């Protein structure tokens, strides 16, 4: 269904505010100025044991003005959306830039971008904010109750998180865009407690968040490429039995195993070890104090062997239902797609306009994003996806090709170092593979590797049938801290001889 | 333009249900960020968030509906209340329903305007930042950093007559330094109520000391080694532990504080008997909101508890687990006392004395860890965390730093850490490298921990 931008947002004085701020900034000497009018609606509802625990509905709106004056950035924002405030913010931003200019030894330059005028709305059918709270709650409580009805389940939790972003952007060059994006996610977790031993295990659903509407969480969505409709009934029906099997499973023997990793787990490994590592601002050092830097430094572009020859990774802001998909970024750059790793070699970065200019590129690939009016746009992650093999193998075929290994499904704990070398991940389910067959679950599994070793060990990637768009709502970066939603497509993939730890032994149990 | 007090009064006047809580948070932030010896971004923001929690009689009990809007304007406040009431009705009865706090004396400064942070608060640092860049360029050192001054002023009003105000300033300064083609890297951070008292020159001296130590490299294999943890590193571990100390999770059998056979481990010796982990909203220099402020209910907070006093509490005293975080509702559920969470945390080790330098001087053989990063729970049952050392790990031999070693991934539990303390200094206010984004009122000692699990090498530098 094609929807438009909400009337209440369009009723705001969008043009009047942006005109006032831009003209004031120009008059005060800004060579670049951009204005964003932002409204972000968020609903978050939590259920525990089929009873509501809490619910929050938030409307975060405001006006942001960013300028370049004397080669330096200036930024000011307010939660008031009116012409006087817009003008005042332009003055404050210019003043801040002038105060800061003596401390700036590198002049801000922006890669050029054609002028865009238009409106863009993400693909969704049912606006979650038009669904009554009672209906949202009923979905969660009924699913939580169904989990609790299983004898293996001691407790259950359920949550629903939906966001609607509405942004009007305008800049001095003449770009003027309005867009509206909707995203949604729901997680359910079943908990099994052994009251005698005091031990417990959990298992959560693996449904990824999606750039979709309410139809996704009810199971009424339609599959589009890797953005798959989710069979909630099937996953929830299997969850308690899977959990019960995990409680009885043997603890993994640490050592090296071949791993078959499902996209519900691999998306996060992609996010941490490729997504963040190929942000050019990180690679240049701009995030050194906070998120860190990257081993994938610009001098290695075109030569760094990131992984095996079956590794092909793209960046995009265009894939349907992607969490980072937009019409234009928060610097007015049109959405694009590009290669990041080609045949195992690093070939591209994620850029905003200043990074592109600093790197000598003709155009940004459109990765600027600000998570609210209160924050300035910085380079954030596009959808970064590992591509499947054309006519590639099925899941069954990939598992069938492993003599002695572990099949990993679902994400859980994650951690990676400040240059994106050393990582450690766990998961929801770990199935032992022997002679190409799944022979039961393991528990206490964590896999640990160095990024290029891990991707270098990737022996095979699955075909389109195994490809799934995963992702997260809560990727953090920048100071002050910002969050962003991002998708990562991945096929099932096979990795050779990866170091597996036993988390219970690591804890000294 | 409405004042926070007008938002509160208009919302309460508009309330048509059995009760109403109105929370206005006026937040101002001024910040500056730099990298590679040049300023990168800066900003000044001001926002007023108005939250209304409507308490509505519904079949089966009392429901709570919570809605938050930014600066709704005088005409929008009535609509906000109606929306909260509608949400409450749709949600149905709340398990944590209870009477709102009453009979609480109004804050004497209730009528005051919000306290505001502006870029002027950064002005004291500007000359120091400029000098930092110059000296960095002269000495081949790249500086990266961030300074922020924020103030959140809370105005809490309820239909039961509560009128409370609290201004909550936070200052934060961080500096990373890199040299020798970025093969050396160090970090230091400060947290306090105000940037005004912070000395960037002193922070620069600290990071330069780290760079100098890194001139010599020492090979140390991964494994269990004695760790000398800075207050920042201790803070990151203890905040994880504190946030995992929720009574209901423990009673449900889902936490490190769960008792085999049911119940919690309250009353059990869980740490070295010298350990005292505690909070107090009135702690000097770490002052925190002294009453409950929340817009949503969870296992660790209840909207019905808004405005109730938050007091001093010991979480672990003499090594014994003494309290867990409860709401009034979960206190009844678990049979534990009502102990709302406090936004500060202090760890004392009885007998611990001296600074980090003193502790290093007392250490014969260990690895000095500057800070921890990307810490995540691997196993909630043991509170096993994994994470990484960052920006400087140093070999200590015979009470002196003798060189730098690689970074490591660690796998260890803060509960285990509190049982393997060999030595500790005096607590000092510190900035947790990772958790400081969310929790920056911590006073921690430097601590020497034996058998810390440095699991594998990280090549990061």
């Amino acid at each position: 269904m094609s929807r438009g931008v909400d009337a209440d947002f369009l009723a705001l004085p969008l043009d009047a505010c942006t005109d006032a701020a831009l003209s004031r900034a120009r008059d005060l000497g800004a060579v670049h100025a951009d204005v964003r009018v932002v409204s972000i609606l968020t609903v978050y509802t939590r259920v525990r044991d089929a009873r509501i625990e809490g619910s929050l509905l938030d409307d975060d709106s405001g006006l942001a003005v960013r300028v370049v004056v004397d080669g330096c950035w200036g930024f000011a924002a307010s939660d008031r959306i009116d012409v006087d405030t817009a003008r005042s913010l332009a003055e404050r931003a210019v003043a801040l830039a002038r105060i800061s200019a003596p401390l700036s030894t590198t002049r801000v330059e922006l890669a050029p971008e054609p002028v865009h005028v238009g409106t863009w709305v993400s693909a969704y059918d049912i606006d979650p904010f038009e669904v009554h709270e009672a209906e949202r709650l009923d979905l969660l409580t009924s699913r939580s109750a169904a989990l609790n009805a299983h004898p293996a389940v001691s407790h259950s939790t359920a949550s629903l998180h939906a966001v609607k972003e509405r942004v009007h952007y305008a800049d001095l060059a003449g770009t003027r865009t309005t867009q509206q994006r909707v995203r949604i996610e729901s997680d359910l977790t079943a908990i099994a407690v052994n009251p005698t031993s005091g031990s417990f295990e959990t298992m959560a659903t693996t449904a990824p968040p999606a750039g979709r509407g309410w139809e996704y969480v009810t199971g009424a969505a339609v599959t589009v490429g890797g953005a798959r409709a989710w069979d909630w009934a099937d996953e929830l029906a299997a969850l308690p039995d899977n959990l019960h099997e995990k409680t009885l499973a043997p603890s993994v023997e640490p050592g090296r195993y071949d791993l078959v990793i499902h996209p519900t787990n691999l998306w996060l490994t992609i996010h941490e070890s490729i997504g963040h590592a190929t942000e050019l601002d990180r690679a240049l050092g701009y995030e050194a104090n906070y998120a860190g830097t990257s081993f994938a430094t610009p001098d290695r572009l075109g030569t760094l062997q990131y992984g095996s020859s079956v590794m092909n990774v793209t960046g995009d802001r265009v894939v349907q239902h992607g969490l980072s998909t937009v019409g234009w970024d928060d610097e007015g750059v049109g959405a694009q797609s590009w290669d990041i790793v080609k045949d195992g070699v690093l070939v591209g970065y994620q850029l905003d306009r200043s990074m592109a200019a600093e790197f000598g590129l003709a155009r940004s690939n459109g990765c600027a994003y600000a998570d609210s009016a209160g924050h300035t746009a910085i380079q954030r992650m596009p959808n970064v996806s590992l591509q499947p093999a054309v006519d590639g193998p099925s899941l069954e075929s990939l598992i069938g090709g492993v003599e002695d290994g572990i099949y990993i499904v679902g994400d859980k704990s994650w951690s990676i170092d400040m240059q994106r070398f050393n990582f450690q991940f766990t998961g929801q389910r770990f199935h032992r593979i022997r002679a190409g067959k799944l022979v039961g679950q393991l528990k206490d599994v964590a896999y640990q590797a160095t990024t290029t070793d891990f991707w270098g060990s990737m022996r095979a990637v699955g075909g389109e049938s195994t490809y799934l768009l995963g992702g997260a709502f809560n990727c953090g970066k920048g100071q002050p801290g910002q969050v962003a939603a991002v998708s990562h497509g991945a096929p099932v993939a096979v990795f050779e001889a990866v170091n597996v730890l036993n988390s219970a032994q690591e804890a000294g149990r | 333009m409405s004042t926070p007090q007008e938002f509160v009064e208009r919302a309460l006047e508009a309330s048509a249900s059995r009760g109403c809580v109105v929370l206005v948070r006026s937040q101002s932030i001024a910040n500056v960020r730099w990298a590679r010896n040049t300023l990168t971004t800066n900003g000044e923001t001001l926002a007023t968030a108005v939250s209304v929690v409507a308490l509505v009689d519904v079949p089966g009990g009392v429901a709570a509906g919570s809605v938050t809007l930014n600066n709704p304007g005088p005409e929008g406040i009535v609509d906000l209340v109606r929306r909260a009431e509608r949400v409450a009705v749709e949600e149905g009865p709340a398990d944590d329903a209870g009477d709102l706090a009453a009979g609480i004396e109004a804050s004497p400064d209730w009528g005051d305007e919000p306290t505001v942070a502006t870029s002027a608060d950064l002005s004291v640092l500007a000359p120091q930042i400029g000098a930092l860049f110059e000296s960095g360029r002269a000495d081949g050192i790249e500086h990266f950093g961030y300074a922020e001054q924020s103030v959140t002023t809370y105005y809490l009003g309820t239909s039961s007559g509560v009128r409370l105000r609290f201004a909550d300033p936070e200052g934060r300064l961080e500096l990373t330094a890199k040299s020798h083609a970025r093969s050396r890297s160090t970090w230091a951070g400060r947290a306090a109520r105000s940037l005004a008292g912070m000395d960037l020159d002193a922070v620069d001296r600290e990071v330069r000391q780290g760079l100098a130590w890194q001139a010599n490299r020492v090979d140390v294999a991964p494994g269990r080694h004695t760790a000398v943890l800075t207050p920042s590193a201790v803070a990151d571990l203890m905040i994880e532990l504190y946030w995992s100390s929720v009574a209901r999770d423990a009673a449900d059998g889902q936490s490190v504080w769960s008792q085999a056979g049911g119940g919690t481990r309250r009353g059990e010796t869980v740490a070295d008997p010298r350990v005292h982990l505690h909070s107090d909203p009135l702690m000097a220099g770490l002052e925190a909101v002294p009453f409950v402020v929340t817009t949503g209910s969870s296992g660790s907070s209840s909207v019905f508890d808004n405005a109730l006093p938050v007091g001093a509490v010991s979480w672990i005293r003499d090594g014994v687990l003494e309290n867990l975080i409860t709401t009034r509702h979960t206190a009844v559920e678990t049979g534990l006392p009502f102990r709302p969470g406090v936004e500060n945390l202090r760890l004392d080790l009885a007998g611990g004395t001296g600074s980090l330098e003193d502790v290093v001087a007392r250490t014969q053989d260990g690895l000095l860890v500057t800070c921890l990063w990307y810490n995540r729970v691997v196993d909630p049952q043991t509170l096993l965390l994994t994470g990484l050392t960052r920006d400087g790990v140093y070999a200590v031999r015979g009470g002196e730093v003798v060189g730098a070693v690689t970074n490591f991934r660690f796998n260890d539990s803060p509960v285990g850490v509190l049982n393997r303390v060999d030595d500790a200094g005096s607590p000092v206010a510190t900035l947790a490298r990772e958790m400081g984004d969310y929790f920056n009122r911590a006073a921690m000692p430097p601590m020497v921990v034996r058998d810390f699990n440095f699991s594998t090498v990280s090549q990061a530098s």
Side-chain angles (χ1 to χ4, degrees):
Chain A
M1 183 187 295
S2 176
R3 303 182 64 106
V5 176
D6 292 345
D8 68 310
F9 184 70
L10 295 175
L12 294 170
L14 303 176
D15 288 336
C17 286
T18 53
D19 289 348
L22 292 174
S23 62
R24 188 68 184 135
R26 182 194 288 114
D27 292 346
L28 292 171
V31 296
H32 169 88
D34 57 57
V35 184
R36 287 178 295 116
V37 183
V38 180
S39 165
I40 301 175
L41 302 176
T42 303
V43 65
Y44 183 65
T45 303
R46 290 185 313 278
V47 161
R48 171 181 169 269
D49 290 338
R51 301 276 295 174
I52 183 167
E53 187 176 64
S55 184
L56 296 168
L57 181 60
D58 186 81
D59 183 350
D60 180 2
S61 54
L63 183 58
V65 179
R66 186 177 70 153
V67 301
V68 178
V69 178
D70 297 339
C72 187
W73 287 118
F75 175 78
S78 171
D79 57 2
R80 298 179 194 284
I81 302 172
D82 59 59
V83 168
D84 288 344
T85 299
R87 208 175 282 120
S88 166
L89 289 175
E91 292 167 359
R92 283 167 52 199
V94 168
L96 203 49
R98 292 227 157 91
I99 292 169
S100 305
L103 297 177
S104 300
T105 54
T106 305
R107 289 183 68 82
V108 174
E109 302 287 346
L110 301 180
E113 176 68 15
V115 169
H116 304 282
V117 177
T119 298
W120 182 88
V121 179
S122 68
Y124 63 95
D125 293 336
I126 302 170
D127 183 344
F129 294 87
E130 292 175 1
V131 175
H132 287 290
E133 175 77 2
E135 190 177 346
R136 291 195 292 256
L137 193 56
D138 184 58
L139 182 89
L140 296 179
T141 54
S142 61
R143 289 178 174 174
S144 173
L147 290 175
N148 279 17
H150 193 285
V153 176
S154 308
H155 299 283
S156 69
T157 61
S159 68
L160 179 86
H161 189 183
V163 177
K164 180 160 64 175
E165 280 187 20
R166 301 167 312 174
V167 180
H168 177 73
Y169 170 93
D171 62 31
L172 272 182
T175 287
R176 197 167 286 254
T177 62
T178 307
Q179 51 193 342
Q180 176 164 310
R181 300 198 291 162
V182 168
R183 55 184 177 267
I184 196 163
E185 71 173 341
S186 183
D187 294 303
L188 291 101
T189 301
I191 302 117
V193 178
N194 182 328
T196 308
S197 69
S199 65
F200 63 93
E201 288 287 351
T202 67
M203 191 165 288
T205 48
T206 59
R212 294 184 184 260
W214 176 249
E215 68 279 2
Y216 177 66
V217 294
T218 62
V222 175
T223 292
V224 179
R228 298 191 181 277
W230 203 255
D231 191 338
W232 293 89
D234 184 58
E235 179 165 41
L236 289 167
L239 193 66
D241 289 333
N242 281 328
L243 173 61
H244 184 58
E245 184 188 350
K246 187 178 178 184
T247 62
L248 303 174
S251 196
V252 69
E253 187 66 31
R256 291 198 173 268
Y257 292 85
D258 288 353
L259 302 182
V260 178
I261 305 183
H262 191 266
T264 51
N265 181 277
L266 194 57
W267 76 265
L268 185 50
T269 314
I270 293 167
H271 177 86
E272 299 294 357
S273 68
I274 306 171
H276 280 306
T278 57
E279 296 168 319
L280 185 59
D281 59 346
R282 285 184 70 116
L284 291 172
Y286 287 99
E287 282 288 328
N289 184 65
Y290 183 65
T293 59
S294 173
F295 70 92
T297 47
D299 56 306
R300 307 177 79 185
L301 186 67
T303 59
L304 173 64
Q305 195 68 46
Y306 214 109
S308 70
S309 60
V310 298
M311 182 185 191
N312 290 285
V313 178
T314 58
D316 81 79
R317 301 207 71 183
V318 299
V319 66
Q320 192 164 338
H321 303 305
L323 294 167
S324 187
T325 298
V326 293
W328 306 271
D329 77 353
D330 282 345
E331 292 184 324
V333 177
Q336 302 159 48
S337 58
W338 65 98
D339 289 329
I340 292 176
V341 176
K342 187 79 177 162
D343 301 327
V345 176
L346 175 71
V347 296
Y349 283 107
Q350 307 155 44
L351 310 165
D352 62 16
R353 291 178 66 179
S354 63
M355 291 299 117
E358 183 171 338
F359 206 48
L361 297 173
R363 189 187 180 202
S364 164
N365 50 28
C367 295
Y369 175 71
D371 69 355
S372 66
H375 291 148
T376 190
I378 58 175
Q379 189 269 298
R380 296 309 311 268
M381 206 181 294
N383 307 307
V384 173
S385 300
L386 175 67
Q387 295 304 307
V390 176
D391 300 324
S394 65
L395 170 64
E396 294 72 23
S397 170
L398 291 168
I399 290 173
V402 172
E403 189 62 28
D404 183 17
I406 301 171
Y407 171 47
I408 300 177
V409 180
D411 64 82
K412 200 170 184 184
S413 174
W414 70 101
S415 176
I416 190 165
D417 72 34
M418 63 183 183
Q419 268 185 292
R420 305 279 144 174
F421 282 113
N422 177 304
F423 61 68
Q424 180 175 309
F425 295 91
T426 61
Q428 293 295 331
R429 300 201 309 272
F430 314 98
H431 301 269
R432 191 77 168 93
I433 306 171
R434 289 192 192 279
K437 304 252 184 258
L438 300 182
V439 294
Q441 288 191 50
L442 296 168
K443 62 183 176 187
D444 305 325
V445 175
Y447 65 95
Q448 193 181 78
T450 295
T451 293
T452 47
D453 293 344
F454 177 79
W455 291 107
S457 79
M458 186 166 65
R459 172 173 88 202
V461 294
E464 285 281 355
S465 67
T466 72
Y467 188 74
L468 172 70
L469 206 57
F473 268 28
N474 59 343
C475 171
K477 185 180 174 183
Q479 288 182 304
Q482 299 195 41
V483 294
V486 58
S487 286
H488 300 288
V492 175
V494 182
F495 300 83
E496 291 181 333
V498 179
N499 185 33
V500 168
L501 306 179
N502 180 303
S503 60
Q505 289 180 16
E506 290 292 313
R509 272 204 281 155
Chain B
M1 191 169 112
S2 298
T3 66
Q5 296 89 341
E6 287 168 346
F7 280 132
V8 169
E9 301 305 336
R10 284 189 183 133
L12 292 174
E13 283 168 20
S15 170
S17 61
R18 70 171 283 142
C20 187
V21 177
V22 186
L23 174 65
V24 180
R25 285 163 294 180
S26 171
Q27 187 180 48
S28 51
I29 303 173
N31 61 70
V32 61
R33 194 180 196 200
W34 60 93
R36 309 199 305 181
N37 294 333
T38 187
L39 185 142
T40 53
T41 58
N42 52 51
E44 191 179 291
T45 62
L46 179 62
T48 302
V50 182
S51 301
V52 170
V53 182
L55 311 180
V56 180
D57 288 314
V58 294
V62 178
S66 175
V67 180
T68 299
L69 286 179
N70 264 10
N71 209 354
E75 65 289 342
I77 198 78
V78 174
D79 180 55
L80 175 59
V81 174
R82 296 285 93 80
R83 285 174 67 182
E85 289 169 350
R86 280 198 303 273
V87 168
V89 170
E90 292 188 12
E91 286 185 359
D95 285 347
D96 58 334
D99 293 334
L100 289 176
I104 294 175
E105 192 177 337
S107 298
D109 57 359
W110 169 257
D112 290 1
E113 292 181 357
T115 308
V116 174
T118 71
S119 53
D121 293 300
L122 304 173
S123 59
V124 65
L125 279 179
Q128 294 184 58
I129 293 172
L132 182 80
F133 294 166
E134 281 187 26
S135 66
R137 282 190 287 273
D139 299 336
I141 296 172
E142 291 182 288
H143 287 108
F144 309 79
Y146 180 67
E148 176 183 292
Q149 179 68 58
S150 69
V151 184
T152 303
T153 310
Y154 297 90
Y155 295 85
L156 180 66
T158 70
S159 54
S160 57
V162 166
R163 298 293 185 275
L164 294 174
R165 176 188 184 277
F166 186 78
D168 193 15
E170 289 186 357
R172 172 180 181 174
L173 174 64
E174 290 185 62
L175 183 62
T176 295
K178 292 180 183 290
S179 68
H180 297 80
R182 298 188 181 172
S183 63
R184 302 184 195 179
S185 185
T186 62
W187 174 87
R190 301 282 190 274
R193 288 164 65 80
S194 170
L195 281 175
M198 294 188 192
D199 182 353
L200 185 57
D201 293 340
V203 180
D204 188 31
R205 286 194 294 276
E206 190 175 327
V207 295
R208 282 171 179 261
Q209 172 70 82
L211 292 177
W213 281 340
Q214 291 177 33
N216 187 39
R217 312 299 295 193
V218 177
D219 289 333
V220 174
R224 290 189 178 268
H225 300 283
T226 293
V228 183
L229 302 175
T230 61
S232 171
V234 174
D236 264 313
L237 295 174
M238 291 305 114
I239 294 167
E240 287 277 8
L241 183 149
Y242 176 44
W243 282 3
S244 299
S245 299
V246 176
R248 195 171 68 186
D249 292 343
D252 279 355
Q254 301 172 40
S255 102
V256 68
W257 303 132
S258 299
Q259 181 71 263
T264 74
R265 294 172 65 188
R266 181 169 179 259
E268 186 180 319
T269 298
V270 297
D272 184 301
R274 294 170 293 172
V275 166
H276 187 203
L277 185 68
H278 56 117
S279 302
D280 180 352
L282 303 180
M283 206 178 281
L286 300 177
E287 290 86 348
V289 188
F291 47 88
V292 174
V293 174
T294 185
T295 59
S297 291
S298 68
S300 58
S301 65
S302 168
V303 292
F304 295 92
D305 292 349
N306 268 302
L308 288 170
V310 170
V313 56
S314 293
W315 308 106
I316 299 173
R317 178 153 52 184
D318 301 332
V320 175
L321 181 63
E322 191 164 291
N323 282 293
L324 293 165
I325 298 169
T326 54
T327 67
R328 281 184 301 177
H329 174 64
T330 64
V332 172
E333 272 187 340
T334 58
L336 299 177
F338 172 50
R339 294 286 183 264
V342 187
E343 289 295 314
N344 64 24
L345 190 66
R346 176 179 166 117
L347 174 65
D348 287 87
L349 267 291
T353 60
S355 64
L356 175 64
E357 290 72 23
D358 297 329
V359 169
V360 168
R362 298 197 294 257
T363 302
Q364 288 307 304
D365 188 353
L367 298 178
L368 170 60
V369 175
T370 301
C371 56
L372 301 175
W373 183 249
Y374 229 121
N375 312 314
R376 296 291 183 275
V377 176
V378 177
D379 181 0
Q381 197 154 308
T382 55
L383 199 56
L384 175 70
L385 305 179
T386 193
L388 295 123
T389 65
R390 181 172 179 179
D391 292 319
V393 181
Y394 307 99
V396 178
R397 305 278 186 266
E400 290 187 355
V401 172
V402 297
V405 302
T406 58
N407 279 301
F408 293 98
R409 169 170 297 288
F410 74 88
N411 277 298
D412 215 323
S413 163
V415 182
V417 162
L418 288 181
N419 281 282
R420 288 183 266 119
V421 181
D422 277 349
D423 191 11
S426 303
V428 293
T430 189
L431 177 66
R433 180 77 189 269
E434 177 152 27
M435 286 295 195
D437 268 4
Y438 319 102
F439 192 105
N440 79 348
R441 296 181 195 85
M444 297 287 149
M447 216 156 70
V448 179
V449 178
R450 67 181 172 277
D451 296 332
F452 192 77
N453 185 6
F454 294 95
S455 177
T456 52
V457 168
S458 157
Q459 299 171 45
S461 62

